Structure formats: C-alpha cells, structure tokens
Amino acid sequence: MQKTKIEWCDATWNPVTGCLHGCEYCYARRVAQRFGKELPDFSGYPATHCGSHMLDNKFDNNPYPFLFEPTFHAYRLKEPQRKKKPQTIFVCSMADLFGEWVPVEWIEEVFDACKKAPQHKYLFLTKNPKRYKSLIKDGKLPEKDNFWYGSSMPTPTTLFASSERHNTFVSIEPMMQAFPRAEGHPAGKVRWTILGAMTGPGSQKHQPKREWIEAVVEIAKARGTAIFMKDSLLPIVGEENMLREFPWEGGDGT
C-alpha cells in the first residue's frame, strides 16, 4: 500500500496491475512504463499465460516487471492487514480488476484480503461494470458496508446501479462531454459522483465546460447524491464552487 495524492482516498493498493482497455489518456500505463523494467521474454511461463502473469514474490526495485500486462502480485495480499489505522483505499489504481481478462480467482482473492482487514473502506473502480452484474449473478460480489463499487465513465455509458444492496459510485474523469439531463443520468442512480478534468500531455485541448459540470451538480443535489470535485476542476469552477463531499460522512468531508 502507498500514500497517494488522489484526493478522494488515503492510499492505493495494487494486488493486480496492468490493463488491456488501451485508453489513450491512461496515466497508469505511463507510470508502469516509466518505473517498470521489462523482464526477458516469458512467453513460455506458463505456456498458456495469454499475456497474464502471477508473481508470488516481488522483484527488487521493479514494481512492474511485465510493464502494463495484467499481473497478479500475490505477495501484496496481506498489506491491508498490516495497516491498523482505518484508511480509505483505492483498490487496483494501476489496473482494472474487473476487466474481462481478469480471472475470477484473482478477484475473489482480493475480496478475501479485504475481508481480513475490515477496518478500511475499499473503493473499486472499473470501465467494465457489467462484470459486477455477472459477479452478483454468481453470488460473488460482497455486500459490505465498507465496499464501494465504482464505474468509470468519461462519456455517457452504461453503469452499475442495479443493486440497492451494494454501495455504488461513478467517476466522471476525465469529463469528455456533456451528460444528458434525462432520468438515466448517473448522478441520480448512485450515492457518490466524482468529477475531474483530463490532466497530463495534451489535456488542455480536452477540458470540460463549466456548464457540463454544473448540470451534473444540479441533478446530484436534487437527488441526494454526494459530489466530489478533484483539484483539476479548480480553474474551471473556482474555489468557491468546489464540492468535497463523501457519502459515508453525510456531506462535506473536509
């Protein structure tokens, strides 16, 4: 586990790294390529690994030995148990734990590790929310007060909001276009909405408009959904309009 500059959590934890979505604005891929050191060809380890890897032990000074290929770091599973002070943990900030390529066994082992350290809140985030639904169907998505299941949706798309038994949230970051004001608006179906702008190379050409943000906030307030704005929105909305709400605190979490 590592402390993080991500404003809406205390720490990140990456028992799984790597992703196959191929998003052009992915910061995690840039991090893995910068700080990882690719190992020699492991195409025969095992012969049918299909681009996924499992590690029982870490490589010194090499957090991403397979760069951004999906990798299960089993040696990290006990990290939450070692932190006794309650924290809000972003699980797999360097991966999509619910990508179609991730074996269900990996997901279950991560869930089991979370259950062994119930003092923390665990925030999961995916671009593939239909995997949540398949796990519910199979009885494998835990119904825990400290588990929060998020959908990442920079543009309007399908999100996971079908079960009142699970805490759900949405991350609209980077916000790439306006969201409709219709009944299906994401802010009306989840308990928490995170908003942010694109950062990094080329981001100035893809900044959200203020009216896009205001439209989401308006619907969220009308439906009792907490809103958290990331610092990237400061130049757009101004300090006086920044909202920093956490649903488990019932309002402003500052």
mmCIF file of all heavy atoms in Angstrom, residues 19-39:
data_model
loop_
_atom_site.group_PDB
_atom_site.id
_atom_site.type_symbol
_atom_site.label_atom_id
_atom_site.label_comp_id
_atom_site.label_asym_id
_atom_site.label_seq_id
_atom_site.Cartn_x
_atom_site.Cartn_y
_atom_site.Cartn_z
ATOM 1 N N CYS A 19 -3.540 -3.512 -17.584
ATOM 2 C CA CYS A 19 -4.880 -3.346 -18.151
ATOM 3 C C CYS A 19 -4.808 -3.476 -19.668
ATOM 4 O O CYS A 19 -3.796 -3.142 -20.283
ATOM 5 C CB CYS A 19 -5.422 -1.967 -17.764
ATOM 6 S SG CYS A 19 -7.096 -1.635 -18.325
ATOM 7 N N LEU A 20 -5.894 -3.939 -20.275
ATOM 8 C CA LEU A 20 -5.953 -4.127 -21.726
ATOM 9 C C LEU A 20 -6.963 -3.214 -22.408
ATOM 10 O O LEU A 20 -7.245 -3.374 -23.592
ATOM 11 C CB LEU A 20 -6.288 -5.591 -22.048
ATOM 12 C CG LEU A 20 -5.324 -6.648 -21.517
ATOM 13 C CD1 LEU A 20 -5.781 -8.052 -21.924
ATOM 14 C CD2 LEU A 20 -3.897 -6.414 -22.009
ATOM 15 N N HIS A 21 -7.516 -2.234 -21.687
ATOM 16 C CA HIS A 21 -8.503 -1.342 -22.305
ATOM 17 C C HIS A 21 -7.889 -0.469 -23.403
ATOM 18 O O HIS A 21 -8.541 -0.151 -24.394
ATOM 19 C CB HIS A 21 -9.145 -0.441 -21.252
ATOM 20 C CG HIS A 21 -10.145 -1.134 -20.378
ATOM 21 N ND1 HIS A 21 -11.138 -1.961 -20.875
ATOM 22 C CD2 HIS A 21 -10.308 -1.126 -19.031
ATOM 23 C CE1 HIS A 21 -11.866 -2.426 -19.876
ATOM 24 N NE2 HIS A 21 -11.390 -1.936 -18.748
ATOM 25 N N GLY A 22 -6.652 -0.014 -23.207
ATOM 26 C CA GLY A 22 -5.995 0.795 -24.229
ATOM 27 C C GLY A 22 -6.463 2.233 -24.309
ATOM 28 O O GLY A 22 -6.435 2.829 -25.392
ATOM 29 N N CYS A 23 -6.896 2.826 -23.198
ATOM 30 C CA CYS A 23 -7.351 4.227 -23.200
ATOM 31 C C CYS A 23 -6.176 5.166 -23.518
ATOM 32 O O CYS A 23 -5.112 5.053 -22.908
ATOM 33 C CB CYS A 23 -7.949 4.595 -21.850
ATOM 34 S SG CYS A 23 -9.334 3.540 -21.355
ATOM 35 N N GLU A 24 -6.384 6.092 -24.414
ATOM 36 C CA GLU A 24 -5.302 6.959 -24.839
ATOM 37 C C GLU A 24 -4.843 7.919 -23.754
ATOM 38 O O GLU A 24 -3.708 8.401 -23.778
ATOM 39 C CB GLU A 24 -5.719 7.765 -26.078
ATOM 40 C CG GLU A 24 -6.918 8.668 -25.857
ATOM 41 C CD GLU A 24 -7.265 9.459 -27.111
ATOM 42 O OE1 GLU A 24 -6.406 9.527 -28.008
ATOM 43 O OE2 GLU A 24 -8.388 9.991 -27.192
ATOM 44 N N TYR A 25 -5.712 8.217 -22.768
ATOM 45 C CA TYR A 25 -5.369 9.159 -21.705
ATOM 46 C C TYR A 25 -4.941 8.456 -20.418
ATOM 47 O O TYR A 25 -4.899 9.073 -19.356
ATOM 48 C CB TYR A 25 -6.564 10.080 -21.410
ATOM 49 C CG TYR A 25 -7.869 9.332 -21.217
ATOM 50 C CD1 TYR A 25 -8.168 8.721 -20.004
ATOM 51 C CD2 TYR A 25 -8.791 9.231 -22.250
ATOM 52 C CE1 TYR A 25 -9.343 8.029 -19.831
ATOM 53 C CE2 TYR A 25 -9.981 8.543 -22.075
ATOM 54 C CZ TYR A 25 -10.256 7.942 -20.866
ATOM 55 O OH TYR A 25 -11.429 7.258 -20.693
ATOM 56 N N CYS A 26 -4.603 7.193 -20.467
ATOM 57 C CA CYS A 26 -4.319 6.395 -19.266
ATOM 58 C C CYS A 26 -3.019 6.829 -18.590
ATOM 59 O O CYS A 26 -1.931 6.673 -19.157
ATOM 60 C CB CYS A 26 -4.248 4.918 -19.635
ATOM 61 S SG CYS A 26 -3.921 3.837 -18.222
ATOM 62 N N TYR A 27 -3.127 7.332 -17.358
ATOM 63 C CA TYR A 27 -1.941 7.725 -16.603
ATOM 64 C C TYR A 27 -1.212 6.489 -16.069
ATOM 65 O O TYR A 27 0.021 6.490 -15.939
ATOM 66 C CB TYR A 27 -2.330 8.633 -15.428
ATOM 67 C CG TYR A 27 -2.910 7.898 -14.241
ATOM 68 C CD1 TYR A 27 -2.104 7.458 -13.201
ATOM 69 C CD2 TYR A 27 -4.272 7.620 -14.167
ATOM 70 C CE1 TYR A 27 -2.629 6.768 -12.126
ATOM 71 C CE2 TYR A 27 -4.810 6.929 -13.096
ATOM 72 C CZ TYR A 27 -3.979 6.517 -12.071
ATOM 73 O OH TYR A 27 -4.500 5.816 -11.006
ATOM 74 N N ALA A 28 -1.965 5.419 -15.744
ATOM 75 C CA ALA A 28 -1.365 4.231 -15.155
ATOM 76 C C ALA A 28 -0.382 3.568 -16.119
ATOM 77 O O ALA A 28 0.682 3.088 -15.711
ATOM 78 C CB ALA A 28 -2.456 3.239 -14.745
ATOM 79 N N ARG A 29 -0.704 3.532 -17.388
ATOM 80 C CA ARG A 29 0.203 2.948 -18.370
ATOM 81 C C ARG A 29 1.511 3.738 -18.417
ATOM 82 O O ARG A 29 2.604 3.164 -18.474
ATOM 83 C CB ARG A 29 -0.448 2.921 -19.755
ATOM 84 C CG ARG A 29 0.433 2.291 -20.835
ATOM 85 C CD ARG A 29 -0.254 2.322 -22.188
ATOM 86 N NE ARG A 29 -1.474 1.533 -22.186
ATOM 87 C CZ ARG A 29 -1.514 0.222 -22.379
ATOM 88 N NH1 ARG A 29 -0.394 -0.437 -22.605
ATOM 89 N NH2 ARG A 29 -2.665 -0.423 -22.366
ATOM 90 N N ARG A 30 1.398 5.070 -18.360
ATOM 91 C CA ARG A 30 2.603 5.900 -18.375
ATOM 92 C C ARG A 30 3.469 5.630 -17.149
ATOM 93 O O ARG A 30 4.700 5.561 -17.240
ATOM 94 C CB ARG A 30 2.229 7.384 -18.437
ATOM 95 C CG ARG A 30 1.524 7.809 -19.719
ATOM 96 C CD ARG A 30 1.557 9.314 -19.904
ATOM 97 N NE ARG A 30 0.912 10.044 -18.817
ATOM 98 C CZ ARG A 30 -0.365 10.379 -18.796
ATOM 99 N NH1 ARG A 30 -1.162 10.031 -19.820
ATOM 100 N NH2 ARG A 30 -0.869 11.050 -17.786
ATOM 101 N N VAL A 31 2.826 5.456 -15.994
ATOM 102 C CA VAL A 31 3.570 5.175 -14.765
ATOM 103 C C VAL A 31 4.292 3.842 -14.862
ATOM 104 O O VAL A 31 5.472 3.723 -14.511
ATOM 105 C CB VAL A 31 2.601 5.179 -13.554
ATOM 106 C CG1 VAL A 31 3.301 4.641 -12.306
ATOM 107 C CG2 VAL A 31 2.092 6.591 -13.301
ATOM 108 N N ALA A 32 3.586 2.810 -15.338
ATOM 109 C CA ALA A 32 4.184 1.481 -15.446
ATOM 110 C C ALA A 32 5.369 1.476 -16.408
ATOM 111 O O ALA A 32 6.400 0.843 -16.150
ATOM 112 C CB ALA A 32 3.133 0.465 -15.895
ATOM 113 N N GLN A 33 5.241 2.182 -17.497
ATOM 114 C CA GLN A 33 6.325 2.227 -18.475
ATOM 115 C C GLN A 33 7.508 3.043 -17.972
ATOM 116 O O GLN A 33 8.658 2.773 -18.331
ATOM 117 C CB GLN A 33 5.798 2.791 -19.790
ATOM 118 C CG GLN A 33 4.827 1.862 -20.498
ATOM 119 C CD GLN A 33 4.202 2.466 -21.733
ATOM 120 O OE1 GLN A 33 4.191 3.690 -21.907
ATOM 121 N NE2 GLN A 33 3.652 1.622 -22.599
ATOM 122 N N ARG A 34 7.222 4.015 -17.116
ATOM 123 C CA ARG A 34 8.304 4.849 -16.581
ATOM 124 C C ARG A 34 9.086 4.144 -15.485
ATOM 125 O O ARG A 34 10.315 4.213 -15.443
ATOM 126 C CB ARG A 34 7.729 6.161 -16.035
ATOM 127 C CG ARG A 34 8.777 7.086 -15.412
ATOM 128 C CD ARG A 34 8.150 8.351 -14.872
ATOM 129 N NE ARG A 34 9.140 9.209 -14.248
ATOM 130 C CZ ARG A 34 8.852 10.333 -13.595
ATOM 131 N NH1 ARG A 34 7.582 10.731 -13.503
ATOM 132 N NH2 ARG A 34 9.821 11.048 -13.043
ATOM 133 N N PHE A 35 8.371 3.467 -14.576
ATOM 134 C CA PHE A 35 9.023 2.900 -13.405
ATOM 135 C C PHE A 35 9.243 1.392 -13.492
ATOM 136 O O PHE A 35 9.910 0.811 -12.634
ATOM 137 C CB PHE A 35 8.206 3.224 -12.147
ATOM 138 C CG PHE A 35 8.158 4.689 -11.833
ATOM 139 C CD1 PHE A 35 7.024 5.440 -12.122
ATOM 140 C CD2 PHE A 35 9.256 5.329 -11.266
ATOM 141 C CE1 PHE A 35 6.973 6.793 -11.836
ATOM 142 C CE2 PHE A 35 9.219 6.681 -10.976
ATOM 143 C CZ PHE A 35 8.081 7.420 -11.266
ATOM 144 N N GLY A 36 8.683 0.741 -14.509
ATOM 145 C CA GLY A 36 8.884 -0.689 -14.669
ATOM 146 C C GLY A 36 10.112 -0.986 -15.506
ATOM 147 O O GLY A 36 10.637 -0.128 -16.220
ATOM 148 N N LYS A 37 10.580 -2.204 -15.403
ATOM 149 C CA LYS A 37 11.711 -2.666 -16.209
ATOM 150 C C LYS A 37 11.344 -4.040 -16.732
ATOM 151 O O LYS A 37 11.250 -5.009 -15.978
ATOM 152 C CB LYS A 37 12.992 -2.737 -15.375
ATOM 153 C CG LYS A 37 14.207 -3.167 -16.176
ATOM 154 C CD LYS A 37 15.451 -3.203 -15.298
ATOM 155 C CE LYS A 37 16.674 -3.657 -16.098
ATOM 156 N NZ LYS A 37 17.888 -3.747 -15.250
ATOM 157 N N GLU A 38 11.094 -4.113 -18.033
ATOM 158 C CA GLU A 38 10.569 -5.343 -18.615
ATOM 159 C C GLU A 38 11.558 -6.492 -18.479
ATOM 160 O O GLU A 38 12.750 -6.360 -18.775
ATOM 161 C CB GLU A 38 10.229 -5.123 -20.085
ATOM 162 C CG GLU A 38 9.475 -6.277 -20.694
ATOM 163 C CD GLU A 38 8.956 -5.935 -22.082
ATOM 164 O OE1 GLU A 38 9.442 -4.961 -22.686
ATOM 165 O OE2 GLU A 38 8.065 -6.652 -22.553
ATOM 166 N N LEU A 39 11.042 -7.620 -18.009
ATOM 167 C CA LEU A 39 11.860 -8.821 -17.875
ATOM 168 C C LEU A 39 12.096 -9.463 -19.237
ATOM 169 O O LEU A 39 11.425 -9.123 -20.218
ATOM 170 C CB LEU A 39 11.155 -9.814 -16.951
ATOM 171 C CG LEU A 39 10.997 -9.385 -15.491
ATOM 172 C CD1 LEU A 39 10.210 -10.434 -14.736
ATOM 173 C CD2 LEU A 39 12.361 -9.195 -14.849
#
